[in-house]
Amino acid sequence: MVSKDAFNDRLIIGIGLSDKESINGELYRVQDETTLILWRDILRFTFESDFVRQFFPYNTHFKGKMRIDGALCFYIHDYYPTRCKDISVFDRKTSNLVFRFKEGRQAALVAKIFSLCIARMPFFKEKAANAVLIPIPAATRERNIARFARFCSLLSHRLKVVDGFRATWIKEDREQMKGTHGQDKLSNLIFHPDYFKDRDVFLIDDIISSGENFTQMKRKLIQLGAKSVTGLFLGKTVKSENQK
């Protein structure tokens, strides 16, 4: 299971995304036929109707790719900021997943989705043996740990690459610099090159917008010895008409 929630105090409804690996599951037993029928009806409604799809998207392919500062970058979804109105139901599901991930929830689900997407990249196998997974750090230690610690552990394990969550350390929290330009966004970070020197880096984050955070991180990693950097993102911000 990659995501689960309590339906009530006796029933947990979970979602699984399966590939060739062994499947981990959970088994629940009931005491009588009436309860069994009730639970079966609930599960049929959940998984055979559109109920479960109202919450998150489950795409397992990268939607697009681009180059930022010469580095190849991939993203799974178009992402519309909260100020955008009249967006589709699917785009609202994407926003919901992004927000939950930012909060440090749904790490298992997002790790599974990323693992399936990354495994389909044509050059993944040739880079995997020498790769390290590094997140673009959040603004504070608390947010960074909540958002990326478990996620990086799960994803690196699935991909069988080095977990580079500790490749950077936040020496002091800073204010969010979302949407700012021309500022040093790495001044509060300590880098540990032993994690990434002479390695191919998969640099990962939730959203790519202007690309400034990615560019600064990519250049710093290359300067400190990384062999290459590839960007991986859950979503790419779609600019509204008045931003173009």
Side-chain angles (χ1 to χ4, degrees):
M1 288 186 185
V2 293
S3 178
K4 62 183 180 180
D5 292 286
F7 182 84
N8 55 33
D9 59 354
R10 298 180 63 194
L11 176 61
I12 293 175
I13 296 178
I15 299 166
L17 290 175
S18 178
D19 53 11
K20 295 179 181 179
E21 67 184 25
S22 59
I23 299 174
N24 296 320
E26 297 183 22
L27 181 66
Y28 296 88
R29 298 185 182 277
V30 296
Q31 302 297 321
D32 58 81
E33 185 72 18
T34 302
T35 304
L36 177 62
I37 293 172
L38 173 62
W39 284 20
R40 184 179 295 141
D41 288 343
I42 291 171
L43 292 173
R44 282 174 178 166
F45 169 74
T46 302
F47 291 102
E48 294 179 7
S49 71
D50 197 47
F51 174 75
V52 73
R53 298 184 181 90
Q54 293 180 22
F55 298 102
F56 306 122
Y58 297 94
N59 297 38
T60 56
H61 291 78
F62 284 113
K63 177 183 178 69
K65 63 182 179 179
M66 56 195 169
R67 285 198 177 270
I68 299 177
D69 196 46
L72 192 58
C73 298
F74 297 83
Y75 62 94
I76 302 174
H77 296 290
D78 288 328
Y79 170 72
Y80 290 84
T82 52
R83 61 181 175 274
C84 295
K85 299 179 180 179
D86 301 323
I87 63 175
S88 69
V89 172
F90 180 84
D91 292 327
R92 293 191 185 281
K93 295 176 191 175
T94 299
S95 295
N96 195 25
L97 182 58
V98 169
F99 288 137
R100 295 299 176 272
F101 180 60
K102 283 178 177 290
E103 293 167 355
R105 300 163 60 186
Q106 301 302 332
L109 172 59
V110 177
K112 183 66 174 184
I113 289 173
F114 263 112
S115 71
L116 295 174
C117 291
I118 294 168
R120 294 186 172 104
M121 295 192 308
F123 56 83
F124 170 68
K125 289 184 179 179
E126 67 184 60
K127 286 183 177 288
N130 189 48
V132 57
L133 179 75
I134 298 178
I136 297 177
T140 69
R141 292 178 188 171
E142 182 179 0
R143 291 176 187 170
N144 195 53
I145 292 171
R147 188 176 303 171
F148 291 122
R150 182 165 178 258
F151 166 75
C152 286
S153 176
L154 291 170
L155 182 54
S156 60
H157 177 73
R158 289 188 180 281
L159 297 175
K160 295 180 173 56
V161 303
V162 174
D163 179 358
F165 174 72
R166 297 184 182 277
T168 60
W169 177 250
I170 298 174
K171 61 183 178 182
E172 59 183 13
D173 295 346
R174 63 167 173 80
E175 294 182 0
Q176 287 193 19
M177 296 183 180
K178 183 178 179 181
T180 62
H181 300 281
Q183 298 186 43
D184 182 358
K185 300 182 179 183
L186 311 181
S187 60
N188 68 325
L189 300 180
I190 297 174
F191 288 81
H192 301 287
D194 288 347
Y195 280 92
F196 55 83
K197 188 175 181 180
D198 298 322
R199 288 187 177 273
D200 296 303
V201 175
F202 290 134
L203 189 56
I204 199 162
D205 204 358
D206 48 5
I207 296 296
I208 180 73
S209 295
S210 68
E212 188 164 340
N213 285 20
F214 172 81
T215 298
Q216 290 189 21
M217 276 290 293
K218 174 251 179 183
R219 291 180 178 179
K220 187 68 172 181
L221 293 171
I222 294 293
Q223 177 189 341
L224 294 176
K227 182 179 178 182
S228 71
V229 176
T230 302
L232 305 171
F233 303 93
L234 185 58
K236 175 181 177 294
T237 300
V238 177
K239 294 183 179 180
S240 60
E241 289 299 322
N242 59 2
Q243 290 178 294
K244 296 180 179 180

